[in-house]
């Protein structure tokens, strides 16, 4: 057999897996459907969040033992940074040659400009926004240097796990089809994967809790009254979700918004109005839209045993809802390590499944309970109430994401802002989940 391992998909999970496996001496092929591996069209805000806080709740998880996939960044001269994967050995380090945009805090902003923050100190690092394409190209370059074969413009159409190998049917850039056999496969093809469905991995996942659509515009300039910001703006009269703003290296800015796929809301219209006719539009005077990205997200439970037979599912295809870049990198590394173990006759699948089920908050019932969704602030409050809530949080020096600070301060909210309390928790106890 020509290959020990075929990797499907050159996102963070696949690139990391291919590099590690090739460096460990396996004969590796990576196939990527994009014409040029390392280019991205699927929307991602690209923030490498430091620490182990989750998207919605920043609190540590205590009900399961976690060795969460986290990272730190060693800043070198321009173009010579190191991304260090905290729970993994040094050979997981990534030399990153792109630009880093530091984000010092995350702030929620009302139409009046009133705001509250995730962290108490304006100098607390939230993380760095990276040039994700540069990150992937660097990993692919190193994978190729270690002997990995890269086939871009090659889409995997079908996959079958047989007793002693994996067969992949692929469509090449020229339109032809071919079958590739390898001893094992790592499938890292991102959300909505038909391949892991074919292999039966989705059978224990239950129904999706819904789908969310996202859209972002990339801007060439912006002038916001916050330093190194990542902002979640609300203007309920414009949109019932947040209007997000952040840096987009190299040197650009991103605005984005989201809504349920079931909603008739047209996200491009919302973003255009945010830019030109909103409480925030003075930030964007003279800005040009230089790019657009979009994607959907599936709120589906994670696959429990992501390694079975000769296949390991890596990253977003097996996750609720997203593993984030650092999580997918961690999964890719561990999946390659597990592949080497399996080819040596050891329990590689057990090794991966142990990592997978302990590397993410979403396997913690405590985290899931905390991140049960309250109504979003812009969907619950009008512009005036948003202003009152944000000023109250700021004046009382309360910090954190809404999913933490609102439930944690229920008693004070009842007493001090009863009208706002009722908007979030009013129906609790009547059988309706506030989440
Ligand atoms: C709205 C949104 C915002 C986000 N913001 C952030 C953020 O700020 N920070 C962060 O860390 N994470 C963020 N994420 C999550 C992050 O984008 C993903 O978790 C991460 O990219 C997952 O990596 P992956 O390798 O599993 O999959 P992907 O990055 O999706 O890569 C999959 C690759 O497989 C290829 N592929 C798919 N099908 C095939 C096929 N059949 N054959 C060949 N190739 C195929 C695709 O072209 C792609 O290159 C965000 C996600 C969303 C939806």
């Amino acid at each position: 057999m020509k290959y020990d391992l075929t990797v499907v998909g050159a996102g963070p999970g696949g690139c990391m897996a291919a590099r590690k496996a090739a460096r460990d001496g396996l004969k590796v092929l990576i196939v990527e459907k994009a014409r040029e591996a390392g280019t991205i069209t699927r929307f991602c805000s690209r923030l490498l969040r430091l620490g182990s806080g989750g998207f919605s709740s920043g609190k540590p998880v205590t009900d399961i033992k976690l060795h969460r996939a986290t990272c730190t960044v060693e800043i070198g001269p321009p173009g010579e940074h190191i991304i260090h994967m905290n729970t993994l050995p040094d050979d997981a380090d990534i030399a990153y040659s792109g630009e880093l945009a530091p984000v010092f805090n995350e702030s929620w902003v009302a139409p009046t400009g009133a705001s509250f923050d995730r962290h108490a100190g304006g100098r607390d690092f939230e993380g760095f926004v990276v040039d994700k394409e540069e990150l992937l190209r660097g990993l692919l370059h190193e994978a190729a240097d270690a002997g990995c074969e890269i086939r871009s413009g090659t889409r995997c159409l079908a996959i079958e796990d047989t007793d002693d190998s994996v067969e992949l049917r692929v469509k090449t850039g020229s339109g032809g089809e071919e079958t590739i056999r390898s001893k094992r496969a790592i499938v890292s093809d991102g959300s909505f994967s038909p391949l892991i469905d074919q292999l039966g991995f989705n059978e224990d996942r239950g129904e999706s809790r819904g789908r969310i659509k996202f859209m972002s515009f990339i801007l060439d300039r912006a002038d916001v009254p916050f330093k190194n910001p990542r902002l979640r703006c609300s203007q309920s009269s414009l949109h019932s979700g947040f209007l997000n703003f952040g840096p987009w290296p190299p040197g650009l800015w991103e605005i984005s918004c989201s809504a349920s796929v079931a909603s008739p809301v047209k996200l491009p219209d919302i973003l255009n109005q945010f830019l030109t006719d909103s409480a925030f539009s003075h930030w964007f005077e003279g800005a040009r839209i230089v790019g657009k990205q979009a994607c959907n997200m599936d709120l589906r439970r994670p696959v429990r045993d992501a390694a079975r037979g000769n296949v390991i599912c890596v990253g977003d295809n097996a996750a609720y809802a997203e593993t984030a870049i650092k999580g997918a990198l961690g999964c890719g590394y561990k999946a390659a390590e597990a592949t080497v173990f399996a080819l040596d006759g050891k329990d590689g699948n057990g090794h991966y499944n142990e990592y997978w089920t302990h590397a993410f908050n979403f396997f913690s019932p405590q985290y899931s309970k905390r991140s049960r969704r309250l109504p979003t602030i812009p969907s619950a409050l009008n512009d005036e109430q948003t202003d009152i809530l944000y000023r109250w949080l700021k004046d009382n020096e309360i910090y954190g994401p809404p999913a933490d600070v609102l439930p944690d301060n229920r008693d004070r909210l009842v007493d001090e802002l009863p009208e706002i309390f009722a908007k979030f928790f009013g129906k609790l106890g009547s059988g309706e989940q506030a989440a």
Side-chain angles (χ1 to χ4, degrees):
M1 218 173 302
K2 191 170 170 196
Y3 303 108
D4 296 312
L5 172 69
T6 307
V7 178
V8 182
C15 290
M16 187 67 150
R19 185 187 77 162
K20 165 76 176 151
R23 282 179 172 177
D24 283 357
L26 302 191
K27 284 180 270 173
V28 184
L29 167 69
I30 182 167
V31 295
E32 165 56 52
K33 70 178 180 185
R35 201 174 301 156
E36 195 186 333
T39 52
I40 300 167
T41 51
R42 184 179 159 77
F43 168 36
C44 166
S45 291
R46 306 176 172 196
L47 173 68
L48 274 188
R49 201 186 286 276
L50 304 179
S52 58
F55 278 124
S56 46
S57 169
K59 292 182 178 184
V61 157
T62 53
D63 60 339
I64 62 168
K65 193 166 157 271
L66 275 188
H67 41 68
R68 182 139 156 64
T70 59
C71 63
T72 45
V73 178
E74 195 180 307
I75 300 173
E80 293 179 38
H81 313 298
I82 309 279
I83 297 170
H84 179 68
M85 302 298 299
N86 293 334
T87 53
L88 300 178
D90 288 349
D91 70 326
D93 284 359
I94 300 166
Y96 169 66
S97 58
E99 195 178 297
L100 288 169
V103 173
F104 282 121
N105 217 329
E106 185 165 28
S107 303
W108 283 262
V109 192
T112 54
S115 64
F116 73 96
D117 303 325
R118 184 182 266 258
H119 303 291
R123 284 161 191 271
D124 278 342
F125 262 117
E126 184 64 19
F128 292 94
V129 182
V130 293
D131 179 340
K132 191 173 172 185
E133 294 188 330
E134 194 60 40
L135 174 72
L136 297 183
R137 281 194 290 267
L139 281 169
L140 283 169
H141 189 73
E142 290 178 347
D145 278 352
C148 172
E149 183 181 332
I150 301 167
R151 284 205 213 168
S152 300
T154 304
R155 178 193 289 269
C156 182
L157 302 171
I159 184 165
E160 192 182 348
D161 188 4
T162 66
D163 280 350
D164 59 352
S165 67
V166 184
E167 273 188 19
L168 295 101
R169 190 87 199 134
V170 300
K171 185 169 186 178
T172 61
S174 58
E177 288 190 19
E178 141 185 17
T179 299
I180 297 168
R181 278 183 72 219
S182 54
K183 292 179 188 158
R184 296 199 42 114
I186 291 177
V187 181
S188 44
D189 55 347
S191 299
F192 303 102
S193 164
L195 300 178
I196 75 160
D197 213 39
Q198 285 170 23
L199 291 164
F201 281 90
N202 284 335
E203 278 162 17
D204 58 359
R205 294 182 81 176
E207 290 300 305
S208 163
R209 276 181 43 206
R211 290 185 177 184
I212 305 178
K213 56 186 177 187
F214 293 84
M215 172 111 211
S216 75
F217 287 178
I218 313 303
L219 307 178
D220 63 348
R221 57 177 292 174
D223 186 12
V224 301
F226 292 82
K227 199 166 160 40
N228 301 95
R230 182 169 160 102
L231 306 177
R232 318 253 299 145
C233 307
S234 319
Q235 186 175 346
S236 57
S237 48
L238 165 58
H239 183 44
S240 60
F242 287 107
L243 302 154
N244 307 307
F245 172 86
W248 187 265
L252 303 171
W253 301 97
E254 175 209 15
I255 57 169
S256 68
C257 64
S258 62
S260 161
V261 166
S263 148
V265 160
K266 290 195 172 66
L267 299 180
D269 293 353
I270 302 289
L271 289 178
N272 276 317
Q273 204 179 335
F274 182 34
L275 274 183
T276 58
D277 185 18
S278 74
F280 306 94
S281 41
H282 58 286
W283 296 351
F284 307 117
E285 273 165 21
R288 269 186 326 120
I289 301 167
V290 295
K292 293 182 181 177
Q293 298 201 325
C295 74
N296 286 355
M297 182 199 270
D298 198 4
L299 298 178
R300 197 165 187 192
R301 278 212 310 263
V303 173
R304 186 96 209 158
D305 291 331
R308 290 180 212 164
N310 297 305
V311 179
I312 305 181
C313 309
V314 154
D316 276 8
N317 59 14
Y320 170 93
E322 306 273 327
T323 53
I325 297 168
K326 62 188 179 185
L329 292 169
C331 289
Y333 181 94
K334 279 301 211 186
E337 193 176 66
T339 301
V340 174
F341 286 0
L343 292 173
D344 276 352
K346 297 183 198 142
D347 181 15
N349 288 350
H351 180 75
Y352 185 77
N353 288 331
E354 158 65 22
Y355 175 80
W356 167 244
T357 47
H358 293 88
F360 294 98
N361 286 336
F362 50 65
F363 281 108
S364 150
Q366 186 186 49
Y367 179 80
S368 306
K369 196 168 159 208
R370 278 189 203 138
S371 28
R372 272 194 211 150
R373 289 187 302 150
L374 290 166
T376 63
I377 290 174
S379 73
L381 305 184
N382 64 30
D383 292 349
E384 191 189 343
Q385 290 163 333
T386 306
D387 181 68
I388 292 169
L389 174 66
Y390 289 11
R391 284 182 200 282
W392 182 83
L393 290 165
K394 188 91 161 186
D395 290 349
N396 287 289
E397 300 184 359
I398 296 169
Y399 302 97
D404 291 339
V405 298
L406 295 174
D408 286 355
N409 291 282
R410 280 178 64 135
D411 293 348
R412 289 184 67 184
L413 280 167
V414 173
D415 291 341
E416 297 175 36
L417 300 177
E419 193 189 354
I420 288 175
F421 173 89
K423 297 283 182 179
F424 291 106
F425 303 103
K427 289 180 181 156
L428 258 193
S430 64
E432 184 171 329
Q433 200 183 19

